[in-house]
């Protein structure tokens, strides 16, 4: 059984510094919002949507 890839936060969109996830909020519709902060204390929110693979017709 393979594990899904771990979320790696992107570099800061303001200064390019390393970042860490402060909190993750998941919603019933399958979306999530991650609150991210960089080493220089810039904060931003990263919205995410779950993409599902379409079933191929037989």
């Amino acid at each position: 059984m393979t594990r899904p890839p771990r979320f790696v936060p992107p570099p800061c969109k303001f200064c390019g510094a390393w970042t860490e996830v402060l909190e993750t909020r998941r919603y019933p519709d399958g979306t999530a919002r991650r609150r991210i902060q960089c080493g220089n204390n810039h904060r931003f929110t990263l919205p995410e949507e779950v993409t599902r693979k379409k079933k191929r017709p037989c």
Side-chain angles (χ1 to χ4, degrees):
M1 183 175 190
T2 61
R3 298 177 73 186
R6 186 171 167 248
F7 177 78
V8 177
C12 178
K13 62 183 182 178
F14 301 109
C15 66
W18 59 270
T19 58
E20 63 182 356
V21 176
L22 299 177
E23 68 177 318
T24 301
R25 293 185 181 186
R26 299 195 186 278
Y27 296 96
D29 63 353
T31 60
R33 295 194 185 279
R34 295 185 193 268
R35 190 77 177 141
I36 298 175
Q37 180 176 343
C38 80
N40 295 320
N41 291 325
H42 297 128
R43 291 184 179 187
F44 58 97
T45 302
L46 184 66
E48 297 181 4
E49 290 184 21
V50 176
T51 56
R52 294 187 172 95
K53 292 181 179 181
K54 293 182 180 180
K55 292 183 179 181
R56 289 196 282 173
C58 296

